[in-house]
Amino acid sequence: MVPHLITALTGPINELEQRVLESMPAIERWFRLEWMEHTPPFYSSVDLRNAGYKLAPVDTNLFPGGFNHLTPDMLPLAVQAAMAAIEKICPEAKNLLLVPENDIRNSFYLSNLATLVRIFSQAGLNVRLGSLDPTVTGPTELSLADGSALTLEPLLRTRGRVGLKGFDPCTVLLNNALSAGVPRSIEHLHEQYLLPPLHAGWPSRRKSQHFKAYEEVAKKFSKLLGMDSWLINPMFIPLQSADFSAGQGLEALQTQVDAVLSKTRRKYKEYGIQEKPFVVIKPDAGTYGAGVLTVRDAKELPELMQRSAWGRGPDGASAHQIVVQEGVVTHERVHDAVAEPVVYMMDRYVVGGFYRVHAERGVDENLHAPGASFVPLAFSQASQLPRPGEKPGVSAPNRFYMYGVIARLGMLAASYELEVTDPEAEVYA
């Protein structure tokens, strides 16, 4: 099943699709050259929004969950990509320690862990789960919905290395975004590979840094294709040092909202887009779609923030660093419910994806919320390879290829971002 796109059969995105397909050899060569200079994140997922007139990434996750939503047909791609990634990092790797989030009560997240274990086991590694949670003091069995089980064990730090009792891994793979901070047990590891690196976690990572890197990538790519980078890039402005709990920063936030809305209106006028622009305000750090606010008029801000208690994180702390981002509607539907594509990658390869679907959310709202469901994307089968020459806007394989291209731009931006923010780098960009 292919979700339908509620948009005209002619327009900027269909023109972009045609240009992407016509430029496929140049695009793939361009990516190849970029990967000669930059190291891709070990794994990542990118949330996309397709408005019909614009296709842009709105979030890039460097600790992706949701591998359980990939179809069995997609898993061979993931296994091959895992093999390629491990061979580059630690060819002699035998043991892999997978470190999950501390909150493991979600059955979907447990299924995600089981899928990751399966992928890396089939890639030729002994995989075990080690927890950063201090309440896990011994082997703990976790029951899955399908009747199988996983075993979670407490992490042990010995002579500068981290592992489990009787298990010394070459590679430690974090599936934990470190939102609660970086534990000392995984700092300064001796002759062990920690993936992703610690500075990819939310204690130090900032969305504004990522979107700054993405802006650079989008401009390079757009120059290659001879197109306007706005078609694939959501404008944004970061706001620092706000403290809404103390009544500080509201006026500055309204100014930034007005600025992004004005720039968006000019672009809409240029392209003849009959939509009312909006912005999305989100914390500069954080995950799982928390703290996202949709605003169409800066004058609405005081009431919206008061009504939603916006500006406070899940722990009650005030959000001091904020991103004001151009809103991108999604005009895709699955069973008449709003949908957005999410593309999964490992190393430099697209391994699959799904549509995040939410029947109770609007085209301008965050879909990463309770009540969302998931429909797989058809990236995996040979029959789904791009089909040059077909009419733009009607071929699912061509649309999926385009999604994979834009998602890889997000992944490339993440590699730029991690280089710039690497605390051990000698030169900062």
Side-chain angles (χ1 to χ4, degrees):
M1 182 191 66
V2 180
H4 56 283
L5 182 64
I6 303 178
T7 184
L9 290 179
T10 59
I13 288 304
N14 290 324
E15 293 171 14
L16 173 62
E17 178 184 306
Q18 186 169 359
R19 190 167 298 188
V20 164
L21 290 169
E22 291 171 350
S23 306
M24 195 186 309
I27 289 172
E28 297 304 328
R29 178 179 181 273
W30 183 81
F31 273 119
R32 202 159 55 242
L33 295 175
E34 286 290 325
W35 295 131
M36 290 176 66
E37 300 293 331
H38 307 282
T39 301
F42 187 80
Y43 56 6
S44 57
S45 67
V46 176
D47 296 0
L48 302 174
R49 304 277 286 202
N50 189 349
Y53 54 84
K54 185 181 184 106
L55 172 64
V58 293
D59 196 20
T60 299
N61 189 355
L62 300 183
F63 300 87
F67 278 92
N68 52 304
H69 298 305
L70 306 185
T71 65
D73 289 337
M74 295 176 185
L75 292 185
L77 292 175
V79 171
Q80 290 174 347
M83 287 178 174
I86 292 294
E87 284 172 8
K88 286 196 307 185
I89 295 163
C90 184
E92 70 278 10
K94 179 181 179 182
N95 297 331
L96 181 133
L97 178 63
L98 178 58
V99 180
E101 295 284 354
N102 288 357
D103 186 359
I104 51 174
R105 293 169 293 181
N106 186 310
S107 62
F108 290 109
Y109 182 67
L110 292 180
S111 297
N112 161 68
L113 293 179
T115 303
L116 284 171
V117 170
R118 179 181 174 188
I119 289 170
F120 289 106
S121 295
Q122 292 184 359
L125 296 166
N126 301 316
V127 186
R128 285 166 68 175
L129 299 180
S131 178
L132 291 169
D133 187 347
T135 65
V136 177
T137 57
T140 304
E141 188 171 283
L142 308 172
S143 298
L144 276 69
D146 63 1
S148 61
L150 295 170
T151 300
L152 185 65
E153 302 175 69
L155 284 180
L156 298 176
R157 173 94 179 202
T158 307
R159 292 188 296 277
R161 295 174 67 87
V162 67
L164 308 175
K165 186 177 180 181
F167 186 77
D168 184 28
C170 160
T171 304
V172 180
L173 178 61
L174 293 175
N175 198 239
N176 183 319
L178 305 175
S179 298
V182 178
R184 293 182 65 183
S185 59
I186 58 173
E187 290 184 311
H188 310 299
L189 296 181
H190 178 63
E191 295 183 350
Q192 280 181 308
Y193 295 95
L194 182 68
L195 304 167
L198 291 179
H199 65 282
W202 288 121
S204 53
R205 188 182 181 216
R206 295 295 176 264
K207 295 175 186 177
S208 55
Q209 186 70 57
H210 174 76
F211 285 110
K212 179 182 177 183
Y214 181 79
E215 187 173 57
E216 179 183 351
V217 167
K219 287 178 179 178
K220 286 184 178 180
F221 181 80
S222 298
K223 184 177 180 181
L224 175 73
L225 266 63
M227 55 177 265
D228 181 356
S229 64
W230 177 77
L231 295 173
I232 58 172
N233 180 36
M235 295 181 288
F236 79 100
I237 299 177
L239 177 65
Q240 308 294 323
S241 304
D243 188 354
F244 301 112
S245 63
Q248 300 171 1
L250 178 58
E251 187 175 331
L253 178 58
Q254 289 177 308
T255 300
Q256 305 291 51
V257 168
D258 274 333
V260 176
L261 287 173
S262 295
K263 290 179 181 179
T264 306
R265 285 190 198 98
R266 285 196 290 272
K267 278 296 181 181
Y268 281 12
K269 184 176 181 180
E270 178 183 343
Y271 284 94
I273 296 165
Q274 303 300 314
E275 297 267 1
K276 185 174 181 180
F278 67 99
V279 301
V280 174
I281 305 173
K282 57 182 76 173
D284 206 359
T287 187
Y288 304 124
V292 176
L293 188 65
T294 299
V295 180
R296 293 187 176 275
D297 189 327
K299 295 176 183 177
E300 302 172 352
L301 269 171
E303 182 184 349
L304 285 171
M305 294 174 70
Q306 185 174 11
R307 190 168 65 212
S308 63
W310 191 89
R312 290 188 176 274
D315 58 356
S318 177
H320 291 270
Q321 296 175 306
I322 294 159
V323 172
V324 180
Q325 188 176 55
E326 172 195 351
V328 182
V329 298
T330 176
H331 280 320
E332 295 197 85
R333 297 288 188 279
V334 174
H335 299 311
D336 293 325
V338 177
E340 66 182 6
V342 184
V343 179
Y344 274 60
M345 291 156 290
M346 194 172 293
D347 194 60
R348 68 184 68 180
Y349 307 106
V350 172
V351 300
F354 53 80
Y355 277 97
R356 182 182 289 120
V357 183
H358 207 303
E360 298 176 3
R361 292 289 174 113
V363 297
D364 60 350
E365 292 184 286
N366 172 37
L367 305 187
H368 197 164
S373 57
F374 308 91
V375 176
L377 282 167
F379 276 114
S380 58
Q381 300 171 359
S383 61
Q384 299 296 333
L385 289 173
R387 300 170 184 170
E390 289 199 0
K391 186 176 181 180
V394 297
S395 170
N398 290 351
R399 197 196 308 173
F400 293 156
Y401 174 74
M402 184 169 63
Y403 288 169
V405 168
I406 303 303
R408 282 185 286 165
L409 294 179
M411 174 174 58
L412 179 58
S415 72
Y416 281 33
E417 168 198 359
L418 293 178
E419 288 170 9
V420 169
T421 59
D422 185 351
E424 297 182 3
E426 292 182 5
V427 179
Y428 285 77

